[in-house]
Each structure stands twice: as structure tokens, then as C-alpha cells.
Amino acid sequence: MSLQHDGRLPLRQVWPDALVERYRAAGYWRGETFPGFLRERARDCADDVALVAGESRYTYAELWRESGRIGAGLLALGLVPGDRVLVQLGNVAEFVLTVCGLFRAGLIPVYSLPAHRLTEIVHFARKSEASAYVTAERYEGFDYRTLARELRTEVTAIAHVVVAGAAEEFNALDALGGDEDSLPGDPDPQSVAFLQISGGSTGLSKLIPRTHDDYIYSFRASNEICGIDRDSVYLVALPVAHNFPASSPGWLGALYTGARVVLSPGPSTAQAFPLIEREGVTSVGLVPPLALLWADAAASTQYDLSSLQVMQVGGAKLLPEAARRLREKLDCQLQQVFGMAEGLVNYTRLDDPDDIVLETQGRPISADDEVLIVDDQGNPVPEGSAGHLLVRGPYTIRGYHNDDSANARSFTVDGFYRTGDMVQRLEGGYLVVQGRATDHINRAGEKISAEEIEDHLLAHPAVFDAAVVSIPDAYLGERSCAFVIARGERSRAVELKRWVRERGLAAFKVPDQVVFVDAFGTTAVGKVSRRELRARLRERFLDESDAVD
Ligand code: OOB
């Protein structure tokens, strides 16, 4: 399935007509759009606080005005509706203002994370054919203007760079301005609203096209399930561009319903707890290691956290024992969230019994999420057995952007997305995640492709071969370990780690551990798949470390 994309026409994601009709008839797709709902909130909730970040606060009316200024300013630079704009900003107000501005201008945000570096940013810019890059002067000590200069040298199609803060030779976000009348009318609800990035289970991250209709449905329905209404205060503690805090129900769900969004600059308790007290936060989404840290710190904090009603935990597996610990220590409801940027999101419900909340990763949002669990041959497994999770539904994509070979691998001919997750389905449709079928490392919710890192290691002159595997880790859930066969003289582990970092990659992708081996332990290496090889190495590592510990 490919995207229709004709020059400057908005991108569309293609669902078959029969499904489009079904999703409309069921009331999932209501023809709402991002600019449309933002306009309505600016009218109904004009003076309510929409967004809090640091000391700045914006009402819904101000959010509407500022996003209009930014959107019109980008069009005044020469961008045209349908153009892609790469956004790399942290948990700052400018992220929300810019993204809403892009929506209003019919420009397509392409999300990236502050941790991404040149290699990744160049890849996103090329793959999306972006014509502009919006970033911050600096964030967490890193100067993004330098990255912008390097990006423009590599990708000349980036015609405009806009910087929040001191812009130097670039356009300052603050100084953008234009005639609001230049903003286009509301877009086609079935057109692509933005491009999200995939966890990248094989090779580089893929771009995920999400439409107005499908995404709005996912967070509108999530609001119902997660109890978000106009009185809620939703805290973004994870990176704001990530799908979990964006839409499950996330800051977009919160804005949709007229609630208040609070951005925490980072996920530490020192950053987040004072905000919970000051703003009366009611809901937050966390990855498992953070949830455990928060629960420990909550026991002795001086801050009043009593406003917190729901702690959502997802992005990586929350083991039942850890869930029990959370439940004991927390004075609020626990909700498990198992989702993916490609679409499907599962939640335990707020009124589910304890065993479901502690032991499952929830059930899908929609009655029309068609979940298939199949064996290696693609045949359905008996109910209750583990198998590969495939899904199709009203908010799951039908194809990646501009990536035919990934689409051939990741989607069945009848449009089911192969999630790469192994799950078991219990009565009532609740899913228990068993692990991954494909090789990636889920490092505290950050997904790392083994293949991508192996490729960078192999580029080192002293590396003959490399295999990157996930190793269980008490804190991160999983950490990455690179097994390396040296060529000639062994380089040191730190040198290989530095090498990966200097290849222009996000720091979280640098192997946590490097283990040199003389051989991968089989004469038939050439004949085993890399997956099997990684599995053997992981086993060997675990056996040997058992002996040591
Ligand atoms: C979320 O999205 P992504 O795209 O970063 O990662 C998706 C993958 C899933 O395929 C699965 O392998 C893993 O992350 N995952 C979980 C999980 N939640 C996600 N594995 C076990 N237990 C869970 N609860 O991570 C994401 C997107 C929306 C909402 C929540 C998470």
C-alpha cells in the first residue's frame, strides 16, 4: 500500500473504501481536523489554561493566537501547505505552539527527539523530503544550531531553519509573523496530519503517516478510557514528541477536551514532583523504570502528590511483580498501556479487577481493532496461546511513508500490520506481551534496532563482525550489548562506544556494553540467521554471567 502524494497535494493514507465507510458509520471518523478542534477550544475554553511550561502559561485563546502567528510566519517564509517540516524540540512550550502552528498552516510536522543527532536527522529530512527544520538554540547542553548547519550542508532541500531562542543566522521563532488570512482552510480529514517516527526494529526508523481522522479518534476514545475531561491536568514527563505522551491520551487528548497540559522539562522526580503539586496534576504516563523510581520517591517526598489520580505505565513491559510494588506504594490508580506509534493502543480499564491491571497489558481501544495472533506460518494460534500480533483497525496505519520494502515486510496483503510483538490473548481480549519476535532492544521504552547499530560497528576498521543483543537489566528492563569480533588488534570498548556516538547517533543507541569474542561460537555462522545468532549470543552471555554473579 503506498501513499498518494502528488507534488504539493496533501499526503493521504489509503484505507479501502469499505473500511472508510465502516469507520465513519461507527462514529470513529467524524471528519474532525487539528485546526478545527483547536479553533473550537479557543472559542469554548478561551480563558482556560491550555499549556504550562516552566513559568510560561498559555490560555486556549493564546495558544490559538500564537500558533496562528507561527503558522502564518512559516508560510510567509515561502513554505506551502503540504510541505514537510522537521521538528526537533524538547519539552518546551514552543514544541506545542509550533506543532499547532504547522497544523494550522497545513504544513506536515515530522517529529524527532532531542536525543537524535546528525545521522538520524539527515535520514528523517531525506525520507520526508522536508523543506524546513524547527529547533531550539540549545537543549540539555547541546547546541542545535550547529546541527542545523551540518544538516543544511547534507540536505540542501532544507530551505529554512527556524530556531527557538537566539537564532544567529537563522529565523527566530519569536520573530515569525504573517497575515493570518494567509492560513488555508481546514484540511481534508483523511489527509496526513504529521509523520511520526517508528521505533525502528530493522535498520533506520521509518516514518509513520497519521491522518486527522484516525489520530483524533485514537485520543478522543483514549480520553474516555483514561478519564480525561476538561477538569484534568495532564503532565508530560516523557519526551513530548513520543506517541505515548502525545496521544494516549497525552497532550493532544488533553487539548482536545479543554484540559490543562503541563510540560515537565524531564522525567526526574525533582523536576516533576513540584509541578504535580503546583498545578494539581491528575494524570501522567511513564515507562516502567521511571514509574518504579517515582513510587519509591513518593514515599518520602515533601511535595503534595495527592491530586494524582492515574499513573499510566507503558512503552515497555511492566512485570507483574513490579506492578504489585507500584500498586502497594502508590496512592493512585495504575493503568497499563501497550501501544505503538503505528496505531494500536491497549489499556487496562480504570474499573478492571486487580489481576487484570497487574498481569495484563490491557485490551484495544476499539471494538473494530482486528487483532490476529498467529504462529510462524501465519495460522491463527489456539485461543490463549502465544503468537505474533497482527492488527488492522481505525487508527492503525496501512503503510509507512515512502518505504515500499518495509511495507512489503510489515503489512499483510489484506492490510494487517505485523507488530513484531509476541502476545497471548486472554478472555475479554486482554493481551499479555511475551516479548519481541524481531530484534530490537527496548531500553526503558527507547527502541533500538540491533541491525542499525551493527551496521555502524561494522564500519569501524578494527571490527570484523558485530552482533547487538538485548540483555535483561534490573533498571532499564533491557540494555544493549554488542558482541564484537575484532579485526587485527582489538580496540577498546570505550573506543567503539565513542565511534558509535561520533557517527552522529542518539546517545541512547550507544551499546551499554561491548564484549569481545574470538568467534560467534559456530562454524555455521554464515548459515544461521542473524536473529538466531543474536539469540545464541544472548544465551551464552546469560549463562556466563550467571556463573560470575
Ligand atoms: C510505544 O510506542 P513505540 O512505537 O515507541 O513502541 C512500540 C513497541 C511495541 O510494539 C512493543 O514492542 C513495545 O513498544 N511496548 C510494550 C508496551 N508498550 C509498548 N511492550 C510491553 N509492554 C508494554 N506496555 O511504546 C507506545 C505508544 C503509545 C502508547 C504507549 C506506548
Side-chain angles (χ1 to χ4, degrees):
M1 189 75 51
S2 64
L3 286 165
Q4 292 168 358
H5 146 39
D6 175 15
R8 302 220 170 270
L9 286 180
L11 303 149
R12 276 172 76 92
Q13 169 87 60
V14 184
W15 271 268
D17 289 344
L19 284 179
V20 172
E21 268 162 42
R22 178 154 135 202
Y23 298 154
R24 283 192 180 146
Y28 306 143
W29 294 1
R30 298 186 182 166
E32 294 173 301
T33 65
F34 283 93
F37 88 71
L38 289 168
R39 180 185 308 109
E40 279 175 27
R41 287 307 85 78
R43 228 174 11 224
D44 320 333
C45 313
D47 298 326
D48 294 354
V49 174
L51 177 65
V52 179
E55 295 312 310
S56 34
R57 313 173 161 251
Y58 296 84
T59 63
Y60 276 90
E62 288 164 343
L63 171 60
W64 179 250
R65 226 178 10 250
E66 272 295 278
S67 59
R69 176 185 68 75
I70 294 171
L74 290 167
L75 295 182
L77 291 179
L79 291 167
V80 182
D83 280 351
R84 269 75 71 205
V85 176
L86 188 54
V87 180
Q88 189 177 29
L89 289 164
N91 289 12
V92 292
E94 288 86 349
F95 177 90
V96 173
L97 302 176
T98 300
V99 167
C100 293
L102 293 169
F103 288 150
R104 291 195 54 193
L107 297 164
I108 315 284
V110 182
Y111 295 146
S112 59
L113 299 173
H116 287 132
R117 293 293 178 261
L118 186 64
T119 304
E120 289 126 345
I121 293 295
V122 163
H123 169 69
F124 301 144
R126 291 210 173 112
K127 207 62 189 168
S128 65
E129 299 168 284
S131 23
Y133 173 55
V134 182
T135 191
E137 159 195 344
R138 48 177 65 242
Y139 189 71
E140 293 183 341
F142 182 78
D143 190 333
Y144 289 86
R145 292 163 301 196
T146 311
L147 184 54
R149 284 177 203 114
E150 292 165 348
L151 171 65
R152 289 202 65 191
T153 313
E154 299 260 339
V155 187
T156 49
I158 298 287
H160 309 282
V161 174
V162 177
V163 174
E168 297 183 342
E169 74 269 37
F170 303 119
N171 302 289
L173 187 71
D174 271 354
L176 289 184
D179 181 359
E180 281 218 22
D181 290 343
S182 67
L183 294 170
D186 287 352
D188 172 355
Q190 276 186 59
S191 65
V192 170
F194 62 89
L195 294 169
Q196 177 62 278
I197 49 177
S198 77
S201 52
T202 48
L204 291 164
S205 284
K206 297 173 281 287
L207 297 179
I208 296 170
R210 301 293 302 259
T211 64
H212 297 263
D213 258 340
D214 93 76
Y215 210 60
I216 292 176
Y217 166 53
S218 78
F219 55 74
R220 190 182 63 230
S222 295
N223 278 345
E224 290 265 307
I225 294 170
C226 307
I228 297 289
D229 58 27
R230 198 171 163 174
D231 297 326
S232 302
V233 181
Y234 179 84
L235 181 72
V236 178
L238 297 173
V240 61
H242 190 275
N243 201 60
F244 178 14
S247 69
S248 303
W251 59 272
L252 280 164
L255 291 183
Y256 180 85
T257 190
R260 178 180 302 191
V261 174
V262 179
L263 301 182
S264 177
S268 74
T269 54
Q271 291 164 308
F273 282 7
L275 287 171
I276 296 178
E277 177 180 288
R278 189 181 87 189
E279 304 297 329
V281 167
T282 58
S283 287
V284 64
L286 296 174
V287 290
L290 285 174
L292 291 164
L293 279 181
W294 279 39
D296 275 346
S300 56
T301 184
Q302 74 203 64
Y303 292 102
D304 177 5
L305 308 179
S306 59
S307 58
L308 199 57
Q309 291 165 8
V310 180
M311 179 187 279
Q312 304 179 292
V313 183
K317 172 94 177 207
L318 179 67
L319 295 169
E321 238 354 275
R324 263 181 215 106
R325 260 170 51 208
L326 285 181
R327 164 54 59 84
E328 274 164 28
K329 292 185 176 168
L330 285 173
D331 227 4
C332 65
Q333 274 190 289
L334 172 66
Q335 179 176 49
Q336 295 217 35
V337 189
F338 162 41
M340 52 208 71
E342 285 82 353
L344 179 70
V345 181
N346 303 274
Y347 296 103
T348 56
R349 303 312 200 246
L350 298 179
D351 56 359
D352 274 340
D354 256 16
D355 55 337
I356 294 282
V357 175
L358 299 177
E359 283 164 32
T360 81
Q361 279 64 58
R363 63 181 163 89
I365 290 178
S366 178
D368 276 298
D369 282 321
E370 299 171 70
V371 164
L372 284 180
I373 302 177
V374 301
D375 62 20
D376 290 346
Q377 282 69 47
N379 302 313
V381 297
E383 200 59 40
S385 308
H388 302 266
L389 169 65
L390 271 56
V391 66
R392 185 168 81 168
Y395 60 98
T396 296
I397 58 163
R398 308 284 298 197
Y400 290 108
H401 175 68
N402 188 9
D403 203 334
D404 291 342
S405 65
N407 288 343
R409 269 195 318 271
S410 302
F411 295 85
T412 67
V413 284
D414 38 10
F416 280 84
Y417 168 56
R418 300 181 204 276
T419 66
D421 291 313
M422 303 294 292
V423 304
Q424 181 195 10
R425 181 168 40 195
L426 310 181
E427 213 175 298
Y430 286 88
L431 302 178
V432 179
V433 179
Q434 307 282 338
R436 291 284 300 175
T438 50
D439 280 312
H440 79 194
I441 297 108
N442 188 336
R443 190 180 188 277
E446 304 272 22
K447 318 302 183 310
I448 304 163
S449 153
E451 201 177 278
E452 181 187 351
I453 307 311
E454 287 166 2
D455 228 36
H456 287 290
L457 287 166
L458 282 173
H460 191 285
V463 172
F464 173 73
D465 203 352
V468 175
V469 307
S470 65
I471 301 288
D473 183 277
Y475 172 60
L476 297 166
E478 291 178 10
R479 67 177 187 273
S480 62
C481 176
F483 289 89
V484 172
I485 303 177
R487 185 199 298 280
E489 203 177 312
R490 271 188 190 180
S491 40
R492 292 185 310 140
V494 282
E495 149 67 14
L496 289 186
K497 291 187 187 185
R498 187 178 329 120
W499 170 262
V500 173
R501 190 172 304 113
E502 286 173 358
R503 301 273 294 174
L505 296 186
F508 66 79
K509 294 186 185 170
V510 174
D512 292 300
Q513 214 170 345
V514 177
V515 175
F516 289 97
V517 289
D518 293 329
F520 283 150
T522 163
T523 49
V525 165
K527 296 209 180 83
V528 299
S529 71
R530 292 205 69 84
R531 230 188 104 197
E532 201 176 321
L533 170 65
R534 292 183 192 117
R536 286 186 198 176
L537 286 167
R538 183 184 300 115
E539 290 308 311
R540 198 168 109 194
F541 178 94
L542 295 175
D543 283 353
E544 287 170 12
S545 56
D546 271 359
V548 175
D549 291 339

